[in-house]
Amino acid sequence: MFQLTPHTRIRRSPYFDATVAAGVAGFTTYNYMLLPSGYGDPEGEYWRLRNGVSMWDVAAQRQVEMRGPDAGRLARILAPRDLSRCRAGQGKYVALCNHAGTIINDPIALKLDDDRYWLSIAASNILFWARAIAAERGLDVEVTEPDVSPLAVQGPKAAEVIAAMFGDWTRELKHFHFRRADLGGIAMILARSGWSKQGGFEIYLMDGARGAQLWNMVAEAGRPWGIAAGAPNAVERIESGLLSWGGDTDDATNPFEVRLGQFVDLDFAGADETVGIDALRRIRRHGPARHQLGVILDGDAPAPPHPVWYDIEAGGRKVGDMTCGVWSYRLSSNIGFALIARQIAPGARVEVVRDGRRIGATLTELPFS
Ligand code: THG
């Protein structure tokens, strides 16, 4: 195998030393930062997330802060979703699009105050995008990347760990809502969110010098529930149908193709100035060309990692792509997502072309379970 060559351009998270001490086995990069990808026991990490509780360094989910009199207006220009009833302390999942209606990121928008928003971004450069749009529209807003680094606590036992740390009020926190909750003199925000469907929280550390301290506090608080280090889990997220922007999308994917239409509003007050709104209205009128389904491959041996898209064929011609794939420990099958011609329906039989071989497969609705 080969190694990732260090470079100062590829940043370390505030939790870097703690993850190394915890035995991190691999990293990927995300927003120009190292993102741990596992600790050497993929199946154990999966079951801990499903049955217990896991802690993840997700500092690479960087924040784009928009601050100033036009912060709300910039949020509205960037996000085709009605945020007018979003309160301070509330977040919403949004599909940022370019002028063609192509998704360029799928962040959580957090409203901290009327004049202060964060976009908690997936891996694309929204700092540059937001600054460019703000300047072109002549807005009075400052766009920065603050010193904020999320640490996720995910799994059915996450609520116990978080209540032990922060108190019982956290049990009532609604999904995507958040509150300032400093602990041990460390500035942080606690949110109910996270990139799994097993329930959980994200602690947004607001002081990069205190990463090891926060990591150790969570590890200590979680000990009674068997907490251990993990990472955003590909198996769980595919079973649960969560989108990975940039992995499951290409340079022509619009929100309606990948099941994000439910998070897109087209006719709210001020929508006419939102980037991409005309294209999105047109796409909704005509219907998207592709849609996203689950795919279950025939055979019962775990497939190798899935570093590229695989062609999906039906009747001998290409009808779409398999954009991700994993061995599902629960379904005992290789499963993944298909981005495929809209005419092809769930239940259809197709062939996935992997390394020159054709593998029979069945399409299904998402999520798998
Ligand atoms: N947490 C934070 N920042 C993030 C992510 C996160 N930035 C990058 C990436 N993840 C953004 N993408 C997603 C994708 C899906 C969800 C959250 C962020 C998600 N979706 C649920 C769903 O689709 O079922 C719920 C959506 C809803 O009901 O509104 O949770 O994880 N800080």
Side-chain angles (χ1 to χ4, degrees):
M1 268 310 275
F2 41 81
Q3 293 184 326
L4 185 70
T5 306
H7 192 290
T8 50
R9 170 171 45 74
I10 303 175
R11 302 176 287 177
R12 292 180 173 191
S13 130
Y15 311 112
F16 178 80
D17 291 337
T19 62
V20 171
V24 68
F27 288 100
T28 184
T29 70
Y30 196 93
N31 288 322
Y32 318 105
M33 186 175 276
L34 292 170
L35 169 63
S37 52
Y39 291 78
D41 177 16
E43 181 161 6
E45 290 165 34
Y46 168 82
W47 289 115
R48 187 176 298 112
L49 169 62
R50 285 213 73 109
N51 299 328
V53 55
S54 183
M55 58 189 288
W56 308 345
D57 168 5
V58 284
Q61 296 169 352
R62 302 310 291 169
Q63 311 306 303
V64 175
E65 175 163 302
M66 306 179 287
R67 194 166 195 169
D70 286 333
R73 184 159 168 224
L74 178 57
R76 188 178 76 209
I77 289 169
L78 297 178
R81 185 163 184 185
D82 186 0
L83 300 175
S84 63
R85 281 187 309 279
C86 186
R87 307 244 199 99
Q90 194 179 352
K92 296 250 189 206
Y93 185 34
V94 297
L96 306 189
C97 294
N98 65 15
H99 299 79
T102 298
I103 317 182
I104 59 166
N105 203 291
D106 67 333
I108 299 166
L110 295 91
K111 179 173 177 176
L112 291 116
D113 218 327
D114 286 337
D115 65 352
R116 191 176 175 210
Y117 289 76
W118 288 347
L119 297 173
S120 184
I121 58 172
S124 70
N125 198 325
I126 297 306
L127 187 65
F128 285 6
W129 173 257
R131 281 178 179 160
I133 300 290
E136 291 291 320
R137 303 283 179 107
L139 302 186
D140 184 1
V141 60
E142 211 189 339
V143 181
T144 58
E145 186 192 275
D147 175 8
V148 174
S149 300
L151 179 65
V153 181
Q154 299 288 298
K157 300 288 186 228
E160 303 304 325
V161 179
I162 293 297
M165 287 182 75
F166 294 93
D168 274 331
W169 64 269
T170 58
R171 297 181 192 276
E172 315 305 326
L173 197 62
K174 294 204 202 100
H175 196 65
F176 285 159
H177 287 236
F178 60 90
R179 223 164 99 173
R180 181 102 188 202
D182 301 5
L183 213 61
I186 311 176
M188 46 185 122
I189 278 172
L190 179 72
R192 192 183 283 264
S193 55
W195 204 56
S196 85
K197 282 295 205 178
Q198 304 313 308
F201 294 79
E202 291 179 306
I203 305 167
Y204 290 72
L205 170 67
M206 296 163 79
D207 178 354
R210 313 289 286 273
Q213 197 185 342
L214 175 60
W215 178 278
N216 292 332
M217 282 164 63
V218 174
E220 191 58 40
R223 200 185 307 277
W225 292 279
I227 202 169
N233 192 285
V235 179
E236 192 279 341
R237 79 96 182 167
I238 290 173
E239 290 174 350
S240 298
L242 290 175
L243 183 74
S244 181
W245 182 88
D248 302 321
T249 59
D250 61 16
D251 196 33
T253 308
N254 65 65
F256 306 112
E257 291 180 314
V258 286
R259 300 173 296 120
L260 300 189
Q262 57 187 311
F263 307 118
V264 173
D265 297 318
L266 297 177
D267 292 306
F268 54 95
D272 285 353
E273 64 177 10
T274 298
V275 176
I277 202 78
D278 293 333
L280 291 167
R281 287 171 178 161
R282 204 161 43 242
I283 295 163
R284 175 154 281 176
R285 216 166 30 243
H286 299 301
R290 299 177 291 184
H291 63 166
Q292 190 179 47
L293 297 175
V295 48
I296 304 177
L297 303 194
D298 296 350
D300 58 4
H306 194 289
V308 295
W309 286 16
Y310 299 131
D311 285 353
I312 298 178
E313 296 185 352
R317 74 188 170 85
K318 178 168 177 179
V319 290
D321 295 279
M322 182 169 170
T323 65
C324 61
V326 288
W327 173 257
S328 166
Y329 303 109
R330 274 176 347 104
L331 305 175
S332 294
S333 294
N334 291 304
I335 62 170
F337 292 175
L339 186 56
I340 195 159
R342 190 161 53 127
Q343 297 75 9
I344 314 261
R349 289 285 299 168
V350 292
E351 286 184 319
V352 173
V353 185
R354 193 175 71 203
D355 304 327
R357 298 211 337 270
R358 287 185 159 60
I359 302 156
T362 304
L363 299 173
T364 69
E365 296 278 9
L366 285 171
F368 287 95
S369 49

